[in-house]
Amino acid sequence: MDNQWSPKPVKDCYHVYSDGTLVYSLYETEEDRVFMMNRIIISAFSCHLKVIIPEVMRTHFHVIVRGAPENIDKYLHELKRLIVRYFRRIGRPESVKDTISIRADPILDEDELKR
């Protein structure tokens, strides 16, 4: 019998985020910010993930994605590759220093997802 007060488990949601202490700035211009938002969404789509919520701050980002666990590592690698490539292309590689760190943590229940 389920306890009606227990949070419902979530199996396929992840909190994807970057470490803001390792980068100078993910965006300085509106074009940079739009690039970051687009990369988050397009990379998720290409990795068969659904973005529930994206948030881009000056030095880091947070994304809640839903999808199969085997697609998460591919998503992390793809995002990092595209972000580093973008900053090299626009002549600002120091913005991410090739050290941008992107991680993912599983979201285990509905309460955690809401927070």
Side-chain angles (χ1 to χ4, degrees), residues 1-7 9:
M1 180 176 209
D2 272 343
N3 179 346
Q4 64 180 341
W5 302 107
S6 296

